[in-house]
């Protein structure tokens, strides 16, 4: 079973603060994703990547940057955090470029911006 | 662009009863369709997927779903629910041309009471 590990599990910051969420997958999947989960919206895609150094824009990218430093590591950066970014963030990975491949999810990072 | 609607935000059933969770999708061609489940304080796990062939697909833990092109639907069913099925269920769609960009519905909270 593929493993996706997110850190931290919980994070509290203030408006204007700088936050980095980390994600590591250990099965050499080529695709990695960042989603945010909010009540009434389900999961919405922020950014994704199909390999080290690659970045693709998702559906709700405003206010977020991301960087894929290696095959295993994908980071989400909030450089000027706002209360609207209070959410539950999930990282996920998948194995192939086929649209029917399953995603493997981490346990999530709960971010609160005060 | 593809989209998914789950019209029921919350469903409550008694243990042993049958279950149907509804999902409607919007996409011009035949999409790839998924159901994921999220147990408390965990990431999402895939229950089943459909991309061609028999419109009824079997998943884990006795779940199945039926694809209907005429109705643009992919409803999830289970003949007899258990209290441990209480979770949030997400329907998701991936367009055949978009690589791995998965779009999720808003989710349905399932509560099974004894």
């Amino acid at each position: 079973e593929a493993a996706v590990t997110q850190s931290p599990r919980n994070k509290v910051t203030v408006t204007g603060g700088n936050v980095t969420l980390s994600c590591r997958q250990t099965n050499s999947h080529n695709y990695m994703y960042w989603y945010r989960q909010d009540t009434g919206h389900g999961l919405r895609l922020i950014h994704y990547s199909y390999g080290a150094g690659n970045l693709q824009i998702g559906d709700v990218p405003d206010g977020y940057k991301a960087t894929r430093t290696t095959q295993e590591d994908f980071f989400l950066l909030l450089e000027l955090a706002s209360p609207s970014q209070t959410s539950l963030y999930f990282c996920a990975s998948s194995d192939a470029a086929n649209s029917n491949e399953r995603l493997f999810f981490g346990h999530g990072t709960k971010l609160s911006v005060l | 662009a593809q989209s998914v609607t789950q019209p029921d935000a919350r469903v409550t059933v008694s243990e042993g009863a049958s279950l149907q969770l509804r999902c409607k999708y919007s996409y011009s061609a035949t999409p790839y369709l998924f159901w994921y489940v999220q147990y408390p304080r965990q990431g999402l796990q895939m229950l089943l997927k459909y991309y061609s062939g028999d419109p009824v697909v079997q998943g884990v833990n006795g779940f199945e779903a039926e694809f209907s092109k005429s109705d643009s639907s992919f409803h999830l069913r289970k003949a007899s629910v258990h209290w441990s099925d209480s979770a949030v269920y997400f329907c998701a769609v991936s367009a055949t041309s978009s690589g791995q960009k998965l779009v999720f519905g808003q989710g349905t909270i399932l509560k099974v009471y004894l």
Side-chain angles (χ1 to χ4, degrees):
Chain A
E1 182 83 356
V4 179
T5 304
Q6 293 182 234
S7 61
R9 293 294 297 268
N10 291 281
K11 176 73 177 178
V12 180
T13 190
V14 296
T15 300
N18 196 320
V19 176
T20 298
L21 307 185
S22 302
C23 177
R24 166 165 283 201
Q25 53 96 2
T26 58
N27 279 57
S28 298
H29 287 169
N30 45 13
Y31 278 78
M32 294 186 75
Y33 310 80
W34 278 107
Y35 284 90
R36 61 177 289 173
Q37 181 181 13
D38 304 287
T39 303
H41 292 280
L43 276 77
R44 292 179 290 175
L45 182 64
I46 304 170
H47 291 297
Y48 63 109
S49 165
Y50 55 73
N54 175 264
L55 182 65
Q56 302 293 314
I57 294 172
D59 298 319
V60 289
D62 292 346
Y64 301 95
K65 293 184 179 179
T67 180
R68 181 88 176 269
T69 54
T70 65
Q71 184 80 345
E72 293 77 23
D73 298 302
F74 194 32
F75 300 93
L76 186 68
L77 297 85
L78 293 73
E79 294 183 333
L80 286 171
S82 73
S84 65
Q85 293 176 309
T86 293
S87 187
L88 182 57
Y89 291 86
F90 284 101
C91 177
S93 72
S94 68
D95 192 27
N98 296 321
S99 296
N100 62 353
E101 289 299 321
R102 64 181 286 190
L103 270 63
F104 292 85
F105 283 83
H107 280 64
T109 295
K110 185 176 181 181
L111 175 66
S112 298
V113 183
L114 305 178
Chain B
Q2 66 272 34
S3 67
V4 176
T5 300
Q6 295 179 246
D8 304 309
R10 187 180 295 263
V11 171
T12 303
V13 297
S14 61
E15 188 173 57
S18 63
L19 172 71
Q20 177 172 279
L21 301 181
R22 296 185 292 163
C23 172
K24 300 274 283 186
Y25 70 88
S26 175
Y27 183 57
S28 56
T30 300
Y32 296 131
L33 292 159
F34 304 79
W35 276 98
Y36 280 79
V37 61
Q38 183 182 29
Y39 297 105
R41 295 173 296 282
Q42 295 188 28
L44 282 71
Q45 306 167 39
M46 191 183 76
L47 280 176
L48 47 79
K49 65 181 181 183
Y50 170 83
Y51 54 95
S52 68
D54 189 335
V56 179
V57 290
Q58 304 296 322
V60 297
N61 297 334
F63 286 95
E64 68 174 28
E66 183 167 5
F67 167 69
S68 170
K69 188 171 184 177
S70 62
D71 194 40
S72 297
S73 67
F74 189 56
H75 302 327
L76 182 71
R77 302 189 298 236
K78 188 171 184 179
S80 176
V81 296
H82 188 264
W83 65 267
S84 60
D85 293 324
S86 297
V88 184
Y89 292 79
F90 291 94
C91 183
V93 61
S94 177
T96 53
S97 61
S98 71
Q100 276 278 9
K101 188 177 171 185
L102 204 59
V103 175
F104 287 85
Q106 303 93 322
T108 297
I109 300 170
L110 173 65
K111 282 281 219 183
V112 181
Y113 62 91
L114 299 172

